Amino acid sequence: MTADSLTSKALLRVKRRNYFVCALFLAAGLVVHCLVTRTVSPPLVIMQCLWGASYLLLGLGVGAGLFAPQATAVVAGFIALVGSAAFVTLTGGVRGPYFHAFAALPLLVAMFTPDARLPTVVSGVSTMGAVALMGHWHEMPLTTVLPQVAGIGLFVGLALFSTRTYRRMGEAQRVAHREKLEMLERLAESERRRRHAERERAEVDRLVLVGQLAAGVAHEVNNPLAFVKANLNYLEHEVRGEELPRVRDELLQVISETQQGVLRIQQIVMDLRGFSRAGGPCEERGGALEVALPEATRMASVRLRERGEVSLALEPGLPLVRLGHRHIVQVVLNLLINAADAVEMCQTRCLAHIAVRAWRVEEGVRLEVDDNGPGIPADVLPRLFEPFFTTKPPGKGTGLGLALCREFVSRSGGTLHAENRPGGGARFVIVLPVSEESRPLAM
Ligand code: ADP
């Protein structure tokens, strides 16, 4: 149930009460008249009961939503006019004690429909006409009829003024309500932002810790790695001169496998160093997506070979972004290889279709990498950018790729997030701020 429907129901209830109150006043008026005059006139009692009963019926109809409030108010105005005319006629006519009751009619209708002008105008004009007609029938002098009509006109004006005040108050209340809602919305938005900032700060703190750890491990592993590599090269060189071919081939095989293992360790160490700010020089110059993206897709295509294809769509005239060339290539290449791996893991084997698109947005440049893989499972999505989180088999993934990508992107002031595409497959979205070099100088 909406707030609007609740309000309109409450409004209908108020209108129904108005009709009931009027019926009650008519009954009370009749009792007072009979008591004061000490007479009971059957036609007067019947007429007054009919009048009151018609208001009860109208009130019930309006409250139940069966009658339109405005049209009902016009009907109520006419009933009041006829009822007043009959009442005045039965109690002494134009010279009777109740003739002035006509003046109350426009106010009565305004009470029924304070939110509309038309019913009050209609009832006011017809009351003025009725008073003028009655004056004419009873051959009253114009000097009496005209002030009576003018007096009722004054009441019509007052009634219209009160409906206008009511409408203005309603409008002011609606504006206040809207403002309150907007304020609550702003409050909720700032709370959302605060929570988001808190989460990001926690993430940064965690990455700083990982960075410190990574820098230490990388330093410690790098030194022994250097001499293991040198020794392996030396052994390879020596074994190549071996006389016995069987021994030589076996040893060369062992050395080649060991060299591959060492290369892998070296790759992991290099990745780890990426987490430490001191680990790699920060690129000062802004990167050009028109150059970096084709380079990354070229490199990925070589790795993909016949496993799939990468399409590239760039908006012409993109500005330089704050992320440097080397890092753009590294980030996008990582996303492309991940996408190809994901498609390869599909149950139904199919070719990878990876789309890279970039266009200008208000915050800078938006870059999207879409794939036709299985998408990201709901339990993996929140952990995707955690360092060392991987779903790939041992030896294939280190779980550092996406964490590093996000680290590079956020260092440049941008954002990187992942989502599932509505039509299936994963989407990685990067928003990069425009480099100062691309911005026109402020005057
Ligand atoms: P790694 O590739 O070494 O596993 P990443 O940090 O690059 O490390 O990726 C972390 C995990 O994110 C992957 O193991 C994979 O489960 C998931 N992932 C990355 N890209 C995609 C993708 N395009 N579709 C589905 N899952 C993905």
Side-chain angles (χ1 to χ4, degrees):
M1 190 174 284
T2 63
D4 271 359
S5 69
L6 277 175
T7 319
S8 63
K9 277 199 173 164
L11 214 67
L12 289 183
R13 275 202 295 276
V14 171
K15 292 197 172 183
R16 182 182 61 188
R17 205 174 52 218
N18 283 349
Y19 283 98
F20 289 176
V21 167
C22 276
L24 201 75
F25 269 89
L26 287 174
L30 180 65
V31 172
V32 171
H33 171 78
C34 292
L35 285 176
V36 172
T37 57
R38 291 177 190 275
T39 55
V40 178
S41 152
L44 188 72
V45 173
I46 292 171
M47 189 277 302
Q48 202 76 348
C49 286
L50 281 176
W51 190 358
S54 66
Y55 276 6
L56 281 179
L57 280 176
L58 288 179
L60 284 173
V62 167
L66 297 175
F67 306 151
Q70 283 207 26
T72 314
V74 174
V75 174
F78 274 113
I79 292 176
L81 191 64
V82 174
S84 310
F87 185 78
V88 169
T89 308
L90 290 172
T91 54
V94 284
R95 290 187 182 82
Y98 300 115
F99 188 71
H100 63 271
F102 274 114
L105 286 181
L107 289 171
L108 194 79
V109 174
M111 192 176 115
F112 288 133
T113 50
D115 50 347
R117 194 184 301 124
L118 186 70
T120 309
V121 172
V122 171
S123 90
V125 171
S126 31
T127 307
M128 282 155 75
V131 168
L133 267 178
M134 281 181 88
H136 179 68
W137 278 337
H138 291 89
E139 292 171 354
M140 289 186 53
L142 215 57
T143 47
T144 308
V145 176
L146 276 182
Q148 278 175 343
V149 172
I152 291 172
L154 204 72
F155 278 105
V156 174
L158 275 176
L160 284 175
F161 181 73
S162 72
T163 60
R164 188 160 163 246
T165 308
Y166 176 88
R167 281 197 305 277
R168 286 197 167 174
M169 275 169 63
E171 186 54 41
Q173 259 171 2
R174 272 194 292 279
V175 169
H177 185 65
R178 244 196 327 267
E179 280 173 2
K180 201 166 136 191
L181 282 182
E182 277 168 17
M183 208 187 69
L184 283 175
E185 181 55 38
R186 277 203 297 275
L187 214 69
E189 176 61 28
S190 79
E191 178 59 19
R192 266 198 299 276
R193 283 205 188 137
R194 193 187 62 77
R195 287 223 196 104
H196 183 70
E198 231 167 48
R199 269 201 306 276
E200 278 197 339
R201 208 178 48 229
E203 176 81 351
V204 168
D205 287 351
R206 213 161 51 85
L207 283 177
V208 167
L209 265 183
V210 173
Q212 285 166 354
L213 182 76
V217 172
H219 181 73
E220 290 305 316
V221 174
N222 228 10
N223 291 340
L225 207 59
F227 67 73
V228 170
K229 223 172 135 187
N231 288 355
L232 277 174
N233 287 345
Y234 171 72
L235 273 177
E236 189 187 13
H237 180 258
E238 288 300 304
V239 169
R240 281 201 192 279
E242 174 63 54
E243 295 293 319
L244 295 168
R246 199 182 62 80
V247 177
R248 190 186 61 211
D249 290 349
E250 262 179 30
L251 283 177
L252 279 176
Q253 175 73 19
V254 170
I255 290 170
S256 152
E257 280 168 13
T258 318
Q259 274 171 332
Q260 274 168 26
V262 168
L263 278 178
R264 180 146 182 79
I265 295 173
Q266 212 171 29
Q267 182 61 47
I268 294 172
V269 169
M270 258 166 62
D271 282 354
L272 277 175
R273 288 177 72 164
F275 277 106
S276 146
R277 273 157 208 274
C282 201
E283 287 180 276
E284 295 292 330
R285 293 181 62 81
L289 290 165
E290 274 109 344
V291 183
L293 290 184
E295 186 176 325
T297 45
R298 239 187 346 265
M299 287 165 82
S301 303
V302 173
R303 300 257 309 249
L304 283 172
R305 288 200 197 100
E306 66 284 351
R307 282 159 64 200
E309 57 178 22
V310 183
S311 69
L312 188 59
L314 300 185
E315 187 182 292
L318 285 176
L320 294 182
V321 289
R322 263 197 236 154
L323 190 66
H325 174 85
R326 192 165 52 87
H327 283 148
I328 301 176
V329 174
Q330 195 173 341
V331 168
V332 176
L333 186 61
N334 195 80
L335 297 183
L336 293 175
I337 288 168
N338 269 352
D341 287 348
V343 177
E344 212 171 38
M345 297 216 187
C346 262
Q347 307 240 302
T348 48
R349 290 223 152 213
C350 56
L351 282 184
H353 291 289
I354 310 167
V356 181
R357 291 170 300 146
W359 67 97
R360 190 84 165 87
V361 289
E362 202 185 321
E363 304 88 7
V365 177
R366 186 179 171 102
L367 186 69
E368 286 188 1
V369 179
D370 291 359
D371 67 51
N372 61 335
I376 306 158
D379 56 327
V380 170
L381 201 55
R383 305 195 53 198
L384 216 59
F385 297 95
E386 272 181 27
F388 304 110
F389 174 80
T390 179
T391 58
K392 293 178 188 168
K396 188 131 199 267
T398 59
L400 286 172
L402 287 179
L404 260 179
C405 290
R406 182 174 263 186
E407 174 69 6
F408 292 147
V409 171
S410 42
R411 251 190 249 172
S412 75
T415 56
L416 164 60
H417 76 266
E419 60 197 31
N420 282 314
R421 292 167 58 211
R427 166 172 296 161
F428 284 80
V429 181
I430 305 178
V431 178
L432 294 169
V434 172
S435 159
E436 313 299 323
E437 300 155 63
S438 267
R439 290 222 178 95
L441 286 176
M443 295 298 284

